[in-house]
Amino acid sequence: MAGEPTVLVVEDEPAQREVLAYNIRAEGFQVVTAEAGDEALVVVQETPPDVIVLDWMLPHVSGIEVCRQLKSSGDTARIPIIMLSARTEEIDKVRGLETGADDYVTKPYSVAELLARLRTQLRRTRPASVGERLEYEDIMLDMAEHRVYRAGASLSLGPTEFRLLTAFMERPGRVWSREQLLDRVWGRDIYVDSRTVDVHVGRLRKALRVGESEDPIRTVRGAGYSLG
Ligand code: CA
């Protein structure tokens, strides 16, 4: 479904990979998988995930190396990484290597615990996906109630405009290209003309108009749109 966060699971053990993917999907997230470190690096470029669950021991390129590479590149450094490891001593070692992983989980782990750690990471990068309130200046978006307020007034938004505003409010200041908005709001598998984005941004601007309030959405010529 469009808008759901994508979790990349990197695990070479087929059974463990399947169990993880199954449980994460059951939480309502999208899952992509990779069996090896080099494959993971390719997948991240093709389908940038919102969070990565990364096993340490992997064929070809180790989890540590994958983590180090992703964290040292500007494009991918902000993607949270949860490292999986068989033993606590290994985790201590990974920590010592300063790979930049955001969290560490020892195998065998409980799925419930791993999911809780996933949500913690998503709360930082995709707050709307875990039912948080998002605020930007006088705009407040309540994910749990599925409502938007501006200067205290409740606004009426269509479902597409709601998803658009969610994307904008998760990362104020980020310039979104039309293609990136299509991926996030409409989903990667749906063909929609990029001018459709302009139409819905127009509707969102109109819906956000309250009294003398300013238009919070900026058109960036040749690039796309941003909030603020
Ligand atoms: Ca492994």
Side-chain angles (χ1 to χ4, degrees):
M1 203 184 125
E4 296 302 337
T6 302
V7 180
L8 168 61
V9 173
V10 191
E11 168 64 81
D12 57 320
E13 293 289 328
Q16 291 195 35
R17 190 171 62 244
E18 285 316 306
V19 167
L20 263 179
Y22 174 84
N23 283 286
I24 296 171
R25 275 196 193 101
E27 285 290 292
F29 302 137
Q30 301 188 65
V31 177
V32 285
T33 59
E35 303 173 15
D38 45 353
E39 188 194 351
L41 291 169
V42 173
V43 172
V44 168
Q45 296 307 322
E46 287 174 349
T47 313
D50 296 294
V51 55
I52 302 171
V53 178
L54 179 63
D55 186 29
W56 178 20
M57 298 299 277
L58 292 168
H60 309 306
V61 181
S62 76
I64 295 170
E65 188 51 33
V66 171
C67 189
R68 199 176 274 148
Q69 286 194 30
L70 293 176
K71 288 297 181 184
S72 64
S73 159
D75 288 347
T76 53
R78 60 162 215 99
I79 305 173
I81 296 179
I82 302 174
M83 284 282 268
L84 301 180
S85 162
R87 296 194 306 272
T88 343
E89 305 91 80
E90 290 178 350
I91 284 189
D92 290 343
K93 191 175 167 192
V94 180
R95 274 208 182 98
L97 290 168
E98 289 177 1
T99 53
D102 300 84
D103 200 359
Y104 308 85
V105 173
T106 315
K107 293 178 179 180
Y109 50 83
S110 86
V111 171
E113 190 201 342
L114 185 70
L115 291 172
R117 306 279 191 105
L118 260 182
R119 280 191 291 268
T120 300
Q121 295 303 323
L122 286 168
R123 200 160 284 136
R124 282 200 299 128
T125 55
R126 294 286 309 273
S129 70
V130 285
E132 303 277 295
R133 283 181 167 196
L134 303 181
E135 285 182 51
Y136 176 78
E137 293 185 346
D138 60 350
I139 304 171
M140 201 270 277
L141 196 149
D142 188 319
M143 291 306 298
E145 289 182 20
H146 215 265
R147 278 177 176 280
V148 179
Y149 301 87
R150 184 159 200 196
S154 177
L155 306 182
S156 171
L157 263 66
T160 304
E161 286 71 44
F162 189 88
R163 289 201 299 272
L164 255 180
L165 183 63
T166 304
F168 282 133
M169 288 190 59
E170 282 188 327
R171 291 185 66 191
R174 170 186 170 165
V175 178
W176 294 81
S177 70
R178 288 171 177 78
E179 287 68 31
Q180 287 167 337
L181 286 171
L182 282 174
D183 281 353
R184 169 61 70 85
V185 175
W186 282 264
R188 290 190 179 91
D189 307 326
I190 295 171
Y191 177 77
V192 183
D193 193 284
S194 63
R195 276 169 300 186
T196 307
V197 175
D198 302 334
V199 171
H200 286 277
V201 168
R203 283 191 197 158
L204 175 59
R205 280 180 161 140
K206 205 173 156 193
L208 289 174
R209 215 174 282 152
V210 174
E212 300 289 291
S213 58
E214 265 180 53
D215 178 4
I217 300 166
R218 190 164 60 101
T219 303
V220 184
R221 203 169 287 274
Y225 297 101
S226 81
L227 182 69

